[in-house]
Amino acid sequence: MDNFVFYSPTFFAFGRETEREAGQLIKKFGGSKVLVHYGGGSVVRSGLLERVKTSLTEFGLAFVELGGVKPNPRSGLVYEGIALCKKEGVDFVLAVGGGSAIDSAKAIAAGAIYDGDFWDYYQGKRIEEALPVGTVLTIAAAGSEGSESSVITNEDGMYKRGAGGSAIRPKFSILNPELTQTLPAYQTACGITDIFAHLYERYMTNTKHVEVTDRLLEGLMQTLVQEAPKVIADPDNYEARANIMWAGMMAHNNSCGVGRSQDWASHDIEHELSATYDVAHGAGLAVTMPAVMTYNVDHNVMRFAQAAVRVWGCQMDFENPKNTALAGIQAFRNFLKLIGMPQNFAELGAKAEDIDQMAQTACYGDARKGSLGGFVSLNKEDVSNIYKLMLE
Ligand code: NZQ
Ligand code: ZN
């Protein structure tokens, strides 16, 4: 196991009706003038936004609102939010929604007290300072409610980049599984796929002797395999929703990723798909991950075989462990199909003629020395080959 530090000071309020605590929690963390930031309207239709605002008013908090965050959140609205915060003297940013609203809120929080262009942070500068951020989560997926990262699409060129820093880790996150019951089945499945990806990206490691985190990751994956079909069949299954929601947080606050190298190739390759075709991040991952796994399997057959046996219940083929490794990847594909995720480029609406450009952008041109991935170092040609695997 590698050396690590782990400091994850987010306060979580989990369970039914916890959104009513929003006002109290903002006060606890020093807010007095709040930007309430949300998406395209689901929180308005469900009545959640009204309940949150009532809670803010009860605790004497002044607030301004900015809705309209799109999935794969855009830089334009971030600039708008930054200007609003500066004009109104906002000292706390509350995101009400999914990963997109939260990531946009984090970008605004960082940009609101930065003299330069907030995009500097999305080009490698660490975020050391930001307004405090809180979240009321409405979809179990991105894990942004417990993470120190944010992903934004730059509208000038339509490419997606991430930024990070402990300053944007939420001060608090409110997780009420009931709020996820209004999600369409497809969005629920996209979220589950993203959670799976956050586990697999960490599972694909070159670090040895990482039993604790291996077992945590495997346990969370098994939980998803067990709970996902329940919520797809019955969207109102509170207990299954609750388990998936906490799995989503656990998968990405890095408690399961410490002390080990991690991959993240699938995310980097997928980000070009969601930026180019505006598909849901989880749907893009459903197509990307099995392709990356298939491409990388020979790098460490036994790691894939271990997942196949421990997560997917495959029989170990001691004569030819690669059979087991491949059976595990196939079991994952079957699971994704079962929950209604796309299987290939065509189902995603992606096009073969864009492959070269996406591979180039995914590798950041030359800025990244042409390679990505912490498990297997992939260059532009590898990334192109992986996109080609997704054609079938
Ligand atoms: O915009 P509204 O109207 O709210 O609708 C949203 C949106 O259309 C809808 N939705 C959310 N909760 C709902 C609901 N509809 C009905 N009922 C509810 N309870 O679902 C759609 C998707 O929402 P979004 O916030 O985009 O989903 P998600 O949480 O999957 O976030 C995706 C974004 O997170 C980024 C992705 O790249 C993507 O841009 N990620 C952020 C990470 C991070 N910050 O740590 C890590 C992830 O790997 C990921 O990259
Ligand atoms: Zn993700």
Side-chain angles (χ1 to χ4, degrees):
M1 202 191 294
D2 299 333
N3 288 4
F4 66 87
V5 291
F6 182 65
Y7 181 62
S8 178
T10 302
F11 181 106
F12 290 100
F14 190 100
R16 297 182 199 272
E17 298 196 11
T18 40
E19 65 272 18
R20 298 190 191 282
E21 293 166 33
Q24 185 185 356
L25 286 170
I26 291 171
K27 277 228 124 147
K28 177 181 162 81
F29 290 100
S32 59
K33 179 83 185 265
V34 185
L35 171 69
V36 181
H37 196 41
Y38 57 93
S42 71
V43 300
V44 180
R45 289 190 295 278
S46 67
L48 171 64
L49 189 67
E50 220 34 63
R51 295 203 295 284
V52 168
K53 289 197 289 190
T54 302
S55 168
L56 267 54
T57 307
E58 267 172 23
F59 283 85
L61 293 162
F63 58 86
V64 287
E65 289 177 48
L66 181 64
V69 182
K70 292 187 174 143
N72 306 316
R74 312 291 156 90
S75 48
L77 196 70
V78 174
Y79 288 115
E80 215 179 296
I82 291 170
L84 185 62
C85 285
K86 287 182 174 168
K87 179 169 156 255
E88 296 285 342
V90 163
D91 60 13
F92 197 100
V93 183
L94 179 70
V96 186
S100 295
I102 299 173
D103 284 4
S104 185
K106 287 174 170 179
I108 292 170
I113 53 166
Y114 178 55
D115 287 336
D117 184 344
F118 94 92
W119 192 253
D120 293 350
Y121 292 126
Y122 293 76
Q123 289 180 307
K125 186 179 163 70
R126 289 286 291 174
I127 303 176
E128 307 286 356
E129 261 192 322
L131 293 178
V133 175
T135 84
V136 181
L137 184 67
T138 62
I139 171 172
S144 191
E145 67 276 13
S147 85
E148 57 164 46
S149 49
S150 157
V151 185
I152 300 290
T153 300
N154 193 324
E155 280 158 304
D156 184 10
M158 290 310 274
Y159 60 101
K160 234 176 161 181
R161 291 290 179 263
S166 52
I168 56 167
R169 205 184 270 274
K171 296 288 176 240
F172 70 81
S173 281
I174 291 174
L175 274 58
N176 174 357
E178 285 174 319
L179 301 178
T180 68
Q181 290 175 6
T182 52
L183 277 163
Y186 183 75
Q187 283 297 344
T188 298
C190 285
I192 289 166
T193 306
D194 193 19
I195 300 171
F196 234 113
H198 298 161
L199 298 166
Y200 259 128
E201 298 276 28
R202 291 176 167 89
Y203 200 79
M204 291 305 149
T205 187
N206 294 318
T207 313
K208 294 197 168 52
H209 311 300
V210 285
E211 275 304 305
V212 174
T213 43
D214 264 4
R215 296 286 184 180
L216 286 170
L217 293 164
E218 290 157 3
L220 287 163
M221 287 193 230
Q222 284 181 312
T223 304
L224 294 177
V225 174
Q226 182 187 294
E227 301 299 304
K230 295 184 194 167
V231 285
I232 300 296
D234 174 12
D236 295 331
N237 186 328
Y238 176 87
E239 297 301 341
R241 292 265 184 206
N243 279 289
I244 291 170
M245 199 168 207
W246 194 240
M249 203 299 296
M250 290 287 294
H252 202 43
N253 83 333
N254 211 29
S255 48
C256 308
V258 293
R260 55 196 290 146
S261 73
Q262 304 179 11
D263 190 11
W264 298 99
S266 294
H267 269 70
D268 284 342
I269 293 171
E270 190 290 317
H271 280 164
E272 300 319 318
L273 293 172
S274 44
T276 309
Y277 307 107
D278 206 11
V279 293
H281 171 60
L285 285 167
V287 178
T288 307
M289 276 191 290
V292 172
M293 290 173 176
T294 307
Y295 198 78
N296 286 348
V297 69
D298 289 320
H299 175 68
N300 187 344
V301 166
M302 291 312 288
R303 179 136 285 274
F304 284 95
Q306 178 177 294
V309 171
R310 292 187 185 171
V311 177
W312 299 105
C314 300
Q315 285 294 316
M316 184 66 195
D317 183 338
F318 290 97
E319 299 286 307
N320 187 353
K322 188 167 172 182
N323 286 340
T324 309
L326 293 174
I329 298 171
Q330 186 57 44
F332 181 42
R333 271 186 208 276
N334 296 346
F335 168 80
L336 294 169
K337 189 168 186 183
L338 176 81
I339 62 171
M341 285 289 91
Q343 304 276 291
N344 54 38
F345 250 41
E347 287 180 35
L348 205 58
K351 299 191 188 78
E353 61 259 35
D354 295 331
I355 285 179
D356 285 347
Q357 180 57 51
M358 288 193 294
Q360 162 82 9
T361 320
C363 289
Y364 293 19
D366 292 333
R368 208 177 194 185
K369 300 197 172 56
S371 68
L372 60 79
F375 183 54
V376 179
S377 180
L378 304 167
N379 62 28
K380 213 161 63 181
E381 197 190 344
D382 296 315
V383 174
S384 237
N385 290 336
I386 289 169
Y387 281 128
K388 284 175 192 154
L389 287 179
M390 303 181 208
L391 292 170
E392 285 143 36

